[in-house]
C-alpha cells in the first residue's frame, strides 16, 4: 500500500518538478506545502477535538475516580460523556495517522527517485545499475538496484539534486563522517537534521502554549514531546537530505499554521465574550 501511495505522490512531485524547470528543492517544498494545505481541515478538526477534551477533563477525572472499581460502568459513563459533548476520542489522532503513510511514502520516494519521480522503467534502472557497478545485468541484485538510484540519477543527469552551497539533496548527513570520498557529504548537510530537531521542539512548545492543558498535563507529556523531535532528527540524519528538507519545511509551515489559528481562535473568543457581555448589560 505504501508503494502505491509513493507512486501517486511521485507523479505529483514529477509534475511539480517539470513545472518549476526541474528544480528538485522547489519541488519538495511545494509538495510539502500542498500536503499541509490538504491536511488543514483535519488539523482544524484535531484542534477542536483537543479543546473539547480539555474542557471535559475535570468531569472525565471525576467519572474515573467515582467508578474506579467498576470498569464497565466507568466505560459506559465516559462513553456517555463523550457522546453528549459530541467528541470523538480518535479525532485528535486522525491527522497523525494520515501523516504516517505520507512520511513512509516519502522514505521510498527520496531513496528511489527514478522509480517514483521520473517513473523510469525497471529494466532501464537495472541497466543503469549494471553500468554504474560495472557488472552484467544478470549479476545485479534487487537490493543494488534500490540502493544506487540516487547516484545513478545524478551521474546520468536524470534528476538535478544540487541546490548550491555544497548541498545536494541526494546526500545523507551521516556520510559527512564517511571515509569514502565518493559518498562523503558536505558538512553543511548536518544543519538539516539539527534544524529539524530545533523546529520540531519549537512546534511542540507553541502547541502546548496555545492549548488549555494544565501544568500537570504538560508535565506528563514532557517526555513524549521529546520523542518526535529526537526521532525526526535521527531520520533526517540517516536519510537523504530531501527527506530532511520535507520534514523541516513541514515543521516551519506547522508553526506558521498554529500561530495563525491561535490568533484567529483568540479573536473569536474575545468577540464572543464581548457579545456575551453586551447581552448581559442589556438585560441589566
Amino acid at each position: 500500500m505504501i508503494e502505491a501511495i509513493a507512486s501517486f505522490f511521485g507523479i505529483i512531485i514529477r509534475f511539480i518538478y517539470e513545472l518549476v524547470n526541474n528544480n528538485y528543492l522547489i519541488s519538495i517544498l511545494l509538495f510539502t506545502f500542498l500536503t499541509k494545505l490538504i491536511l488543514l481541515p483535519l488539523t482544524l478538526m484535531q484542534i477542536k477535538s483537543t479543546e473539547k477534551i480539555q474542557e471535559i477533563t475535570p468531569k472525565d477525572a471525576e467519572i474515573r475516580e467515582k467508578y474506579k472499581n467498576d470498569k464497565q460502568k466507568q466505560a459506559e459513563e465516559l462513553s456517555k460523556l463523550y457522546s453528549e459533548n459530541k467528541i470523538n476520542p480518535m479525532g485528535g489522532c486522525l491527522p497523525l495517522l494520515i501523516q504516517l503513510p505520507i512520511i513512509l511514502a516519502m522514505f521510498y520516494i527520496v531513496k528511489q527517485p527514478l522509480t517514483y519521480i521520473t517513473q523510469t522503467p525497471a529494466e532501464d534502472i537495472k541497466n543503469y545499475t549494471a553500468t554504474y557497478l560495472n557488472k552484467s545485468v544478470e549479476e545485479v541484485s534487487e537490493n543494488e538496484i534500490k540502493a544506487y538510484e540516487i547516484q545513478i540519477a545524478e551521474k546520468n543527469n536524470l534528476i538535478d539534486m544540487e541546490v548550491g552551497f555544497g548541498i545536494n539533496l541526494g546526500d545523507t548527513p551521516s556520510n559527512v563522517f564517511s571515509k569514502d570520498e565518493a559518498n562523503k557529504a558536505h558538512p553543511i548537510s548536518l544543519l538539516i537534521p539539527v534544524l529539524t530537531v530545533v523546529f520540531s521542539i519549537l512546534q511542540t512548545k507553541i502547541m502546548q502554549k496555545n492549548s488549555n492543558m494544565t501544568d500537570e498535563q504538560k508535565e506528563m507529556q514532557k517526555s513524549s514531546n521529546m520523542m518526535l523531535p529526537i526521532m525526526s532528527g535521527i531520520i533526517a540524519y540517516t536519510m537523504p537530505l530531501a527527506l530532511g528538507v520535507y520534514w523541516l519545511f513541514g515543521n516551519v509551515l506547522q508553526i506558521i499554521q498554529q500561530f495563525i489559528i491561535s490568533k484567529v481562535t483568540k479573536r473569536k473568543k474575545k468577540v464572543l465574550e464581548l457579545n456575551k457581555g453586551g447581552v448581559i448589560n442589556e438585560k441589566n
Side-chain angles (χ1 to χ4, degrees), residues 163-179:
V163 297
F165 305 104
I167 299 177
N168 185 306
L169 295 183
D171 286 345
T172 301
S174 60
N175 285 342
V176 167
F177 307 103
S178 174
K179 294 180 179 179

Side-chain angles (χ1 to χ4, degrees), residues 17-212:
Y17 180 73
E18 293 174 348
L19 194 66
V20 296
N21 197 27
N22 299 345
N23 190 310
Y24 191 44
L25 174 62
I26 299 299
S27 303
I28 296 295
L29 296 180
L30 288 178
F31 177 76
T32 309
F33 179 81
L34 182 63
T35 55
K36 287 294 179 184
L37 191 63
I38 292 172
L39 290 173
L40 180 58
L42 290 176
T43 303
L44 293 173
M45 184 179 74
Q46 178 190 24
I47 292 171
K48 289 180 180 178
S49 177
T50 303
E51 287 178 347
K52 285 185 177 180
I53 289 174
Q54 289 168 356
E55 287 174 3
I56 66 167
T57 296
K59 185 65 177 176
D60 183 291
E62 183 184 320
I63 291 172
R64 292 180 188 277
E65 177 63 26
K66 184 177 181 180
Y67 300 105
K68 61 182 179 182
N69 297 321
D70 188 347
K71 296 299 180 182
Q72 184 176 346
K73 182 64 176 177
Q74 183 188 87
E76 289 175 359
E77 290 299 316
L78 287 174
S79 177
K80 183 180 177 182
L81 175 66
Y82 278 71
S83 178
E84 288 174 348
N85 288 274
K86 298 179 180 179
I87 296 174
N88 179 3
M90 292 298 294
C93 302
L94 188 58
L96 296 176
L97 293 175
I98 291 178
Q99 286 183 60
L100 183 59
I102 295 177
I103 293 171
L104 291 176
M106 287 300 293
F107 286 1
Y108 282 80
I109 291 169
V110 300
K111 288 284 285 185
Q112 297 175 257
L114 297 182
T115 298
Y116 295 105
I117 297 177
T118 63
Q119 305 282 310
T120 304
E123 194 62 34
D124 289 350
I125 297 175
K126 191 171 186 178
N127 290 330
Y128 278 128
T129 307
T131 303
Y132 181 79
L133 298 176
N134 197 24
K135 291 182 176 182
S136 67
V137 174
E138 291 74 20
E139 291 177 309
V140 176
S141 68
E142 287 296 322
N143 287 336
E144 287 175 327
I145 293 172
K146 293 177 180 179
Y148 292 98
E149 279 202 26
I150 292 175
Q151 292 90 329
I152 291 167
E154 292 179 320
K155 184 177 180 180
N156 295 279
N157 297 318
L158 300 174
I159 298 180
D160 184 8
M161 298 186 182
E162 292 285 347
V163 297
F165 305 104
I167 299 177
N168 185 306
L169 295 183
D171 286 345
T172 301
S174 60
N175 285 342
V176 167
F177 307 103
S178 174
K179 294 180 179 179
D180 183 0
E181 290 298 324
N183 291 324
K184 200 173 183 68
H186 196 285
I188 201 171
S189 301
L190 293 172
L191 275 175
I192 299 299
V194 170
L195 289 174
T196 299
V197 173
V198 170
F199 276 90
S200 187
I201 292 173
L202 184 60
Q203 176 199 334
T204 302
K205 288 188 176 296
I206 292 174
M207 188 166 58
Q208 276 196 343
K209 183 181 178 181
N210 294 331
S211 72
N212 296 320

